[in-house]
């Protein structure tokens, strides 16, 4: 007997031409791709979702710079599919009772954080103890402000150092097809290049899903006794750029179409404001 697809059953509550059905279908496609790159609502194994994976979904969606209200609509669709899977007895009562997907609260401005200088130094010291692949992934996120969705698209040819130049650049493919070329911080380059020497031409550097990258950062944070997300590494990069350059430079490096989004990455706090006027 064929196992029913809980997403298909969930969506069937609305007519095929319903705008709500189209919206929920698109939402599930987006979440499925975030969890396992290349999957959609119909192909993702929703019945296998468990507590650890489900709790990571809000953070996966936050990295796309979506408004909290939009994220919560996507989470509503996921809850609907999980409820359907439970009703179809594809998820046990025990497993279903442990799954918790909390809404994102407040505004985007209040989410996430930037790591302190001390935390960055501790992270840097820990990288040699990671595998070369994992260390390179972390170095790209904090050294070039890459999103997870960009990390999993990187190929060997996307990282380039001009002959005789101390500056290396990496091409990141974010929203839209045109890549942005971002210079990589010097202290992060050795970790990238140690792994790059192992890659074949046109090889994907980090094949898999965003979730794989998330697990790398979760293990690193636990080893450091800290709490931070993959997107917090990007926020740390953005905050550093805001400290040493103007917001227009930060906007270009982060790949934001709207400078208002860039301003959300400026986590310098009131100290920066005090410094700005102390000699005025």
């Amino acid at each position: 007997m064929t196992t029913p697809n809980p997403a298909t059953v969930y969506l069937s509550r609305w007519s095929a031409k319903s705008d709500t059905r189209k919206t929920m279908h698109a939402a599930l496609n987006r979440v499925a791709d975030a969890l396992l790159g290349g999957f959609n609502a119909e192909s993702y194994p929703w019945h296998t979702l468990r507590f650890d994976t489900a709790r990571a979904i809000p953070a996966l969606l936050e990295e796309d710079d979506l408004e909290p209200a939009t994220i919560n609509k996507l989470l509503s669709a996921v809850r609907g599919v999980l409820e359907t899977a439970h009703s179809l007895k594809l998820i046990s009562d025990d497993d279903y009772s442990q799954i918790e997907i909390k809404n994102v609260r407040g505004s985007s401005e209040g989410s996430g954080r930037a790591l302190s200088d001390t935390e960055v130094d501790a992270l840097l010291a820990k990288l040699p103890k990671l595998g070369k692949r994992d260390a390179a992934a972390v170095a790209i996120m904090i050294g070039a402000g890459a999103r997870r969705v960009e990390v999993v698209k990187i190929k060997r040819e996307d990282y380039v150092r001009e002959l005789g130049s101390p500056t290396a650049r990496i091409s990141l493919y974010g929203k839209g097809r045109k890549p942005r070329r971002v210079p990589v911080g010097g202290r992060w380059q050795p970790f990238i290049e140690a792994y790059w020497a192992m890659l074949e031409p046109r090889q994907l550097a980090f094949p898999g899903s965003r979730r794989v990258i998330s697990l790398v950062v979760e293990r690193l944070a636990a080893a450091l006794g800290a709490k931070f997300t993959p997107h917090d590494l990007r926020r740390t990069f953005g905050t550093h750029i805001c400290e040493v350059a103007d917001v227009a430079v930060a906007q270009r490096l982060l790949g934001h179409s709207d400078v208002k989004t860039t301003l959300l990455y400026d986590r310098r706090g009131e100290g920066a404001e005090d410094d700005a006027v102390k000699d005025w």
Side-chain angles (χ1 to χ4, degrees), residues 31-40 43-45 48 60 208-212:
V31 174
D33 184 63
L35 288 168
L36 284 174
F39 280 72
N40 58 28
S43 61
Y44 185 81
T48 65
L60 286 174
S209 69
R210 288 191 244 177
R211 181 58 184 153
V212 174

Side-chain angles (χ1 to χ4, degrees), residues 1-7 9 45-50 81-93 95-96 99:
M1 183 177 178
T2 303
T3 301
N5 184 311
V9 176
W46 300 102
H47 63 285
T48 65
L49 270 181
R50 295 296 182 265
V81 171
L82 291 175
E83 181 181 7
T84 301
H86 178 238
S87 298
L88 293 170
K89 300 189 183 304
L90 299 176
I91 300 179
S92 70
D93 292 344
D95 286 332
Y96 184 68
I99 295 174

Side-chain angles (χ1 to χ4, degrees), residues 62 68-69 71-72 75 102-111:
E62 281 185 319
I71 293 175
N72 291 336
L75 298 180
K102 295 182 179 180
N103 275 357
V104 175
R105 300 173 63 181
S107 65
S108 296
E109 185 176 1
S111 63

Side-chain angles (χ1 to χ4, degrees), residues 5-135:
N5 184 311
T8 301
V9 176
Y10 168 69
L11 293 170
S12 69
R13 69 177 66 182
W14 299 284
S15 68
K17 296 182 179 180
S18 166
D19 288 340
T20 300
R21 178 168 177 163
K22 294 176 182 177
T23 298
M24 291 303 187
H25 191 196
L28 294 175
N29 283 339
R30 188 163 197 165
V31 174
D33 184 63
L35 288 168
L36 284 174
F39 280 72
N40 58 28
E42 287 74 24
S43 61
Y44 185 81
W46 300 102
H47 63 285
T48 65
L49 270 181
R50 295 296 182 265
F51 169 77
D52 58 338
T53 304
R55 71 173 179 173
I57 294 175
L60 286 174
L61 298 175
E62 281 185 319
E63 85 166 12
D64 289 333
D65 300 322
L66 300 175
E67 290 295 324
T70 301
I71 293 175
N72 291 336
K73 287 180 182 178
L74 300 182
L75 298 180
S76 176
V78 176
R79 292 192 198 95
V81 171
L82 291 175
E83 181 181 7
T84 301
H86 178 238
S87 298
L88 293 170
K89 300 189 183 304
L90 299 176
I91 300 179
S92 70
D93 292 344
D94 185 49
D95 286 332
Y96 184 68
S97 67
Q98 295 179 42
I99 295 174
E100 184 178 26
I101 304 176
K102 295 182 179 180
N103 275 357
V104 175
R105 300 173 63 181
S107 65
S108 296
E109 185 176 1
S111 63
R113 71 182 186 92
L115 276 64
S116 67
D117 290 344
T118 299
E119 289 176 311
V120 171
D121 289 342
L123 183 153
L124 186 65
K126 181 67 68 172
L127 287 190
K129 299 179 182 179
L130 301 183
K132 290 183 178 180
R133 178 182 182 276
D134 291 354

Side-chain angles (χ1 to χ4, degrees), residues 81-204:
V81 171
L82 291 175
E83 181 181 7
T84 301
H86 178 238
S87 298
L88 293 170
K89 300 189 183 304
L90 299 176
I91 300 179
S92 70
D93 292 344
D94 185 49
D95 286 332
Y96 184 68
S97 67
Q98 295 179 42
I99 295 174
E100 184 178 26
I101 304 176
K102 295 182 179 180
N103 275 357
V104 175
R105 300 173 63 181
S107 65
S108 296
E109 185 176 1
S111 63
R113 71 182 186 92
L115 276 64
S116 67
D117 290 344
T118 299
E119 289 176 311
V120 171
D121 289 342
L123 183 153
L124 186 65
K126 181 67 68 172
L127 287 190
K129 299 179 182 179
L130 301 183
K132 290 183 178 180
R133 178 182 182 276
D134 291 354
V138 172
I140 290 171
M141 283 186 281
I142 194 169
R147 304 176 178 94
R148 280 167 292 186
V149 69
E150 295 168 337
V151 172
V152 298
K153 296 177 183 177
I154 295 171
K155 295 181 180 180
R156 194 186 79 165
E157 288 73 16
D158 291 324
Y159 180 84
V160 177
R161 180 192 294 279
E162 298 295 338
L163 185 63
S165 171
T167 301
R169 292 180 179 271
I170 191 162
S171 295
L172 300 174
Y173 297 81
K175 299 173 183 178
R177 294 184 178 181
K178 184 178 180 180
R180 70 184 189 280
R181 297 188 69 237
V182 181
V184 181
R187 56 181 173 168
W188 309 105
Q189 293 174 19
F191 299 102
I192 300 172
E193 292 170 4
Y195 176 57
W196 244 243
M198 302 167 60
L199 300 179
E200 298 293 334
R202 296 180 296 281
Q203 180 180 345
L204 275 175

